[in-house]
Amino acid sequence: MSGPALLDHIDAPPAWQRVDCVSDVHLHAQDPDTAAAWHAYLAAAPFDALCILGDLFEVWVGDDALTADPAADPEIAFMQHAVGALATLARRRRVYVMHGNRDFLLGDGFAAASRVRLLADPAVLAFGAHRWLLSHGDAWCVADRDYQTFRAQVRGADWQTAFLTRPLADRLAQARALRQRSQQHQTAQRQAGVAPADVDTDLAAQAVAAAGATGLIHGHTHRPGLHRLGATAHRLVLSDWDAADQPPRLQALSLDRHGGWQVWPLPRATPV
């Protein structure tokens, strides 16, 4: 078969003037400042469409959390509020969500409740004369072999079925334990001077070429910036979000239909 690969596709209508991309917001109940900045951004909605390229949530333990008693656990109430905000936004803007390495269990129940469209990874955004390849990016971090082994396990149907059959309270407890271990690991890596894993640029360039794309946008690596990818393409890496950092890491990438882009630093907001 010749020609660009058949990927999940967003075909921007002529009326769209701005599409925003974000990733690695890592929403969770223990970080109200980042959540407040996120909800303020959604309320302003300075875009025609929003592409969330993975890890919107720090963890997602199953769509059944959306129908559970919100009084049972603060994280359940937090998830339900966050999904309600997406549904409110999606009544007036187009919203697309891609799975990340933290929220890969987002399913059809989430999509229905939030009114978003789940995107396969990778996907293509056709906006004006440009084709952007969109990805979370973790599948291309092949040098991190431990992570790739873990990824293959948890993306498998058997593991997911076994996990989702456990009581919701048990899943939430396991998620908290995993978050704590992850934070400890990241702290140890920073103290040792070990940089976060980056994508394999050869694999990324091959994916861009196969998709017939003019550029790549991804997250996951927490290495925001602009990089050349091959002779003509660009690789735009999205920032993670952390309102508590100095300065705060709260950024959105805006694309225009003429192929331009701009990174917007977003203001902090007061938690409610």
Side-chain angles (χ1 to χ4, degrees):
M1 179 177 178
S2 61
L6 296 177
L7 300 174
D8 205 352
H9 193 271
I10 302 170
D11 192 7
W16 286 5
Q17 298 300 314
R18 172 173 167 177
V19 176
D20 276 15
C21 297
V22 300
S23 74
D24 301 278
V25 183
H26 293 291
L27 293 174
H28 62 98
Q30 285 70 48
D31 186 0
D33 291 332
T34 298
W38 172 251
H39 288 298
Y41 171 62
L42 296 190
F47 45 75
D48 298 295
L50 175 63
C51 298
I52 304 169
L53 303 185
D55 285 358
L56 172 60
F57 295 95
E58 174 70 4
V59 68
W60 189 263
V61 296
D63 290 356
D64 56 337
L66 296 175
T67 54
D69 180 2
D73 190 289
E75 202 70 42
I76 292 175
F78 179 88
M79 291 177 180
Q80 292 177 359
H81 176 68
V83 169
L86 280 177
T88 298
L89 172 66
R91 291 187 179 96
R92 55 196 177 99
R93 298 288 190 270
R94 296 298 300 271
V95 184
Y96 304 87
V97 175
M98 187 174 284
H99 293 108
N101 56 294
R102 303 276 185 164
D103 53 12
F104 55 86
L105 288 174
L106 292 170
D108 292 340
F110 162 78
S114 62
R115 300 172 179 261
V116 308
R117 175 179 152 192
L118 287 175
L119 280 179
D121 185 358
V124 169
L125 167 65
F127 189 23
H130 293 266
R131 286 172 60 89
W132 295 97
L133 187 64
L134 310 178
S135 177
H136 182 56
D138 61 321
W140 295 325
C141 293
V142 293
D144 189 346
R145 295 184 180 180
D146 289 343
Y147 169 69
Q148 293 301 331
T149 298
F150 170 78
R151 186 182 191 275
Q153 177 189 24
V154 300
R155 296 300 180 99
D158 291 345
W159 186 94
Q160 293 188 8
T161 298
F163 180 78
L164 292 172
T165 55
R166 297 175 58 185
L168 179 58
D170 288 356
R171 284 178 267 147
L172 286 167
Q174 182 176 348
R176 291 188 178 101
L178 288 172
R179 179 190 301 158
Q180 184 177 18
R181 288 201 293 270
S182 175
Q183 290 171 342
Q184 291 170 345
H185 175 73
Q186 290 172 8
T187 298
Q189 293 288 90
R190 285 195 299 270
Q191 291 174 346
V194 179
D198 204 354
V199 302
D200 184 296
T201 54
D202 288 340
L203 290 177
Q206 291 168 18
V208 168
T214 51
L216 168 64
I217 302 170
H218 72 82
H220 179 66
T221 64
H222 298 195
R223 295 166 173 255
L226 168 65
H227 309 274
R228 179 70 69 180
L229 192 65
T232 59
H234 288 96
R235 179 167 68 99
L236 300 174
V237 184
L238 304 172
S239 173
D240 62 316
W241 284 42
D242 186 350
D245 201 10
Q246 295 298 328
R249 298 197 305 276
L250 304 167
Q251 294 184 2
L253 170 71
S254 295
L255 307 173
D256 66 49
R257 64 180 309 105
H258 304 293
W261 63 79
Q262 184 169 353
V263 175
W264 296 97
L266 305 172
R268 295 187 61 178
T270 302
V272 295

